[in-house]
């Protein structure tokens, strides 16, 4: 049993490490791509694309109904009949959703008066990605179940590269919003073709209602939670797009994307943790220790990001992306502050799913989202676009508290303060130090990069002093990843 635990822990660490490396390459590509796109396109172009993506993502929630996560969570190996049933159900759902989008897309202009016929056609073209995503779902789920993220990582990196090459080329040619649409569609096509070349899945032509029932029973609350969580992040394109227009949506989306790297790392950790925690669902002590360790490691990795945002965004945003994005900085602070909750929200959320308490997490997410929408409506009228960023911060804080309550109700008690307290002290000290450097040292691009380097070094030195064991373990993980042991 001890050997099995060590193998499982190693698989989780290696899977997470693989995704960290993947995320590094993806963010480098995305950062460079965003620089070009932010300079070539207007905030309103970004805003229109965000609204289109929101509509497609909303429909995509109904193309899965929680079946992919049910495949990953299932204790026994899923049969080929079960996989085939899931495959064809998702294909049929996707085709039905695409037809609905093509029929009803002109009515979108009633809700978004700034939309034109060209935007409606973009929405229809973009809907093709629903079918392509369904084709990839089974091979991806099987890889995730086995915590095999090397192929997924390479596929994702290649997809991001294709997306930005096509989008930037389109922006240079003056295609405007079409640059995003073409980039996204071609990315999905390339990823699907490559995945089926290296990991083909041949389904049987059958749909078993009996096989689907148990999977839907587990997945329905996860799917409901996904829907509610999606609505929680949809305040910007819905209320923002309706009340304050595409320009504000573009500004907010820009700020969110800049601050989203910690969230993305948390999501990727969750992908690995769910599969690993699901194998521990009947071993409470092992699960508790794994979540404690996850909190500590994530906080060391993630807390450097708000330090950089709070200390240097006033200089970095206009320097890198141009002065037209300066209005995004106040929202950037609020989005970045959400990072402090990610080391709790990500492992706790996946742990709750893994022990089968998807119903509880659904209702927690529903309540926080409901009040988030109400609060956003009033704060938009009071504070404009900044109100959306503030309500996002408050919603994630509330969700964090709900997750803690759910675990306590199920007999788990986590020493959150003792785990995260030293890291928060480090963040406060480094941020104060960086702000003082900004006052004392002169301005300039070379001085700015010097200050960034000093802040990074001081951060990890302080983390080593306050959390030596976890910092050393993280350093060893990074060194092993540099040697490409997990890729």
């Amino acid at each position: 049993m001890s050997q099995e635990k060590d193998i499982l822990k190693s698989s989780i660490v290696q899977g997470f490490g693989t995704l960290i490396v993947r995320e590094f390459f993806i963010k480098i590509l995305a950062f460079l791509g965003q620089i070009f796109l932010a300079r070539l396109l207007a905030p309103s172009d970004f805003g229109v694309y965000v609204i289109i993506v929101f509509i497609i993502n909303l429909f995509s929630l109904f193309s899965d109904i929680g079946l992919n996560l049910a495949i990953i969570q299932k204790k026994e190996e899923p049969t080929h009949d079960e996989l085939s049933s899931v495959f064809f159900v998702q294909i049929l759902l996707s085709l039905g959703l695409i037809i609905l989008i093509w029929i009803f897309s002109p009515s979108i202009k009633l809700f978004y008066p700034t939309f034109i016929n060209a935007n409606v056609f973009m929405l229809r073209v973009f809907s093709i990605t629903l079918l392509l995503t369904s084709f990839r779902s089974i091979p991806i789920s099987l890889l995730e179940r086995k915590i095999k993220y090397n192929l997924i990582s390479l596929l994702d990196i290649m997809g991001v590269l294709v997306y930005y090459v096509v989008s930037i080329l389109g922006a240079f040619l003056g295609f405007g919003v079409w640059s995003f649409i073409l980039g996204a569609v071609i990315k999905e096509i390339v990823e699907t073709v490559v995945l089926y070349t290296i990991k083909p899945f041949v389904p049987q032509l059958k749909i078993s209602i009996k096989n689907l029932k148990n999977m839907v029973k587990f997945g329905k609350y996860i799917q409901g939670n996904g829907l509610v969580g999606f609505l929680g992040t949809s305040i910007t394109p819905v209320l923002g797009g309706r009340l304050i227009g595409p320009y504000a949506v573009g500004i907010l989306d820009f700020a969110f994307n800049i601050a989203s790297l910690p969230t993305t790392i948390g999501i990727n950790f969750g992908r690995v943790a769910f599969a690993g925690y699901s194998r521990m669902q009947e071993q409470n002590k092992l699960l508790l220790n794994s979540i404690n360790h996850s909190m500590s490691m994530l906080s060391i990795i993630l807390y450097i990001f708000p330090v950089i945002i709070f200390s240097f965004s006033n200089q970095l945003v206009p320097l890198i992306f141009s002065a037209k994005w300066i209005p995004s900085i106040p929202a950037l602070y609020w989005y970045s502050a959400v990072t402090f909750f990610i080391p709790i929200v990500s492992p706790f959320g996946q742990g709750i799913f893994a022990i089968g308490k998807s119903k509880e997490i659904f209702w927690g997410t529903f309540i926080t989202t409901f009040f988030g929408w109400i609060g956003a409506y009033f704060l938009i009228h009071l504070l404009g676009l900044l109100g959306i960023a503030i309500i996002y911060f408050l919603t994630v804080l509330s969700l964090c508290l709900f997750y803690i309550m759910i675990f306590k109700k199920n007999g788990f008690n986590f020493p959150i303060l003792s785990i995260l307290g030293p890291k928060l002290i480090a963040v406060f000290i480094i941020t104060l130090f960086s702000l003082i450097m900004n006052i004392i040292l002169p301005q300039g691009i070379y001085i700015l990069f010097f200050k960034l380097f000093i802040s990074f070094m001081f951060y990890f030195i302080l983390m080593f002093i306050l959390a030596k064991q976890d910092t050393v373990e993280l350093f060893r993980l990074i060194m092993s990843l540099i040697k490409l042991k997990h890729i």
Side-chain angles (χ1 to χ4, degrees), residues 32 70 159 169 182 185 223:
L32 295 174
L169 180 61
L182 294 174
V185 172
Q223 188 67 11

Side-chain angles (χ1 to χ4, degrees), residues 51 55 101 103-121 123-124 241-242:
I51 293 171
I55 295 170
I101 291 172
I103 293 173
F104 294 106
S105 55
S107 62
I108 297 297
K109 292 190 292 183
L110 299 176
F111 189 83
Y112 294 110
T114 57
F115 258 45
I116 59 176
N117 289 333
N119 301 143
V120 172
F121 185 60
L123 178 62
R124 287 173 168 173
R242 173 69 178 177

Side-chain angles (χ1 to χ4, degrees), residues 299-326:
S299 61
I300 295 173
I301 296 170
L302 301 183
Y303 283 178
I304 183 62
F305 294 99
V307 169
I308 301 303
I309 295 297
F310 295 151
S311 304
F312 301 108
S313 57
N314 277 322
Q315 302 167 63
L316 289 171
V317 168
L319 174 67
I320 297 174
F321 298 101
S322 80
K324 65 185 174 185
W325 297 103
I326 290 177

Side-chain angles (χ1 to χ4, degrees), residues 429-487:
I429 293 173
I430 302 300
T431 302
L432 183 61
F433 170 77
S434 300
L435 292 173
I436 292 173
M437 276 201 303
N438 279 335
I439 296 173
I440 295 176
L441 297 179
Q443 302 297 314
I445 183 170
Y446 297 111
I447 298 296
L448 173 60
F449 286 115
F450 170 76
K451 290 185 286 187
L452 285 167
F453 174 76
I454 295 298
S455 294
F456 268 102
M457 294 299 296
F458 192 16
Y459 174 85
F460 286 106
I461 290 172
L462 200 54
M463 282 293 180
F464 179 80
I465 295 172
L466 297 175
K468 180 179 178 180
Q469 182 176 349
D470 288 332
T471 305
V472 170
E473 184 174 348
L474 178 63
F475 177 77
R476 288 173 178 167
L477 172 63
I478 292 172
M479 293 304 296
S480 67
L481 292 174
I482 291 173
K483 295 175 183 178
L484 301 179
K485 287 184 180 180
H486 305 317
I487 301 299

Side-chain angles (χ1 to χ4, degrees), residues 91-330:
I91 293 296
L92 291 174
L93 287 172
S94 297
L95 289 172
L97 292 170
I98 291 171
I99 292 171
L100 288 176
I101 291 172
W102 277 72
I103 293 173
F104 294 106
S105 55
S107 62
I108 297 297
K109 292 190 292 183
L110 299 176
F111 189 83
Y112 294 110
T114 57
F115 258 45
I116 59 176
N117 289 333
N119 301 143
V120 172
F121 185 60
M122 292 174 189
L123 178 62
R124 287 173 168 173
V125 172
F126 199 80
S127 68
I128 298 170
T129 60
L130 293 174
L131 185 61
L132 296 170
T133 301
S134 293
F135 269 107
R136 294 201 309 273
S137 63
I138 296 299
I140 293 293
S141 296
L142 292 175
L143 289 173
E144 292 200 40
R145 179 180 171 83
K146 296 296 185 181
I147 320 180
K148 301 293 184 181
Y149 286 92
N150 53 337
L151 290 178
I152 298 176
S153 297
L154 293 174
L155 189 69
D156 288 345
I157 292 171
M158 182 189 62
V160 170
L161 179 61
V162 170
Y163 169 77
Y164 278 106
V165 168
V166 175
S167 297
I168 292 170
L169 180 61
F172 268 119
L173 296 175
F175 289 174
V177 183
W178 274 111
S179 306
F180 297 116
I181 304 297
L182 294 174
V185 172
I186 294 174
K187 165 187 173 292
E188 294 291 326
I189 293 172
V190 171
E191 286 185 352
T192 303
V193 171
V194 172
L195 179 62
Y196 269 83
T197 300
I198 61 179
K199 186 68 175 178
F201 171 73
V202 181
Q204 295 178 341
L205 189 58
K206 63 182 298 184
I207 297 178
S208 172
I209 303 300
K210 180 180 178 181
N211 286 333
L212 290 171
K213 277 185 177 180
N214 290 333
M215 301 178 78
V216 171
K217 183 178 179 181
F218 169 80
K220 65 181 180 181
Y221 282 111
I222 290 184
Q223 188 67 11
N225 182 72
L227 175 59
V228 174
F230 173 76
L231 293 176
T233 60
S234 301
I235 293 173
T236 297
V238 178
L239 293 181
R242 173 69 178 177
L243 299 176
I244 47 182
Y247 172 82
V249 172
I251 289 293
L252 285 169
D253 183 67
F254 174 83
F256 181 82
N257 286 333
I258 295 298
S260 68
L261 178 57
T263 303
T264 306
I265 292 174
I267 291 171
N268 284 323
F269 169 80
R271 290 173 67 183
V272 182
F274 178 69
Y277 292 166
S278 293
R279 309 286 83 79
M280 307 176 192
Q281 56 187 281
E282 295 179 352
Q283 304 173 59
N284 288 0
K285 186 176 180 180
L286 178 60
L287 179 60
L288 187 146
N289 290 335
S290 296
I291 292 176
N292 284 339
H293 190 65
S294 299
M295 275 196 292
S296 184
M297 297 291 282
L298 279 174
S299 61
I300 295 173
I301 296 170
L302 301 183
Y303 283 178
I304 183 62
F305 294 99
V307 169
I308 301 303
I309 295 297
F310 295 151
S311 304
F312 301 108
S313 57
N314 277 322
Q315 302 167 63
L316 289 171
V317 168
L319 174 67
I320 297 174
F321 298 101
S322 80
K324 65 185 174 185
W325 297 103
I326 290 177
S328 70
I329 293 176

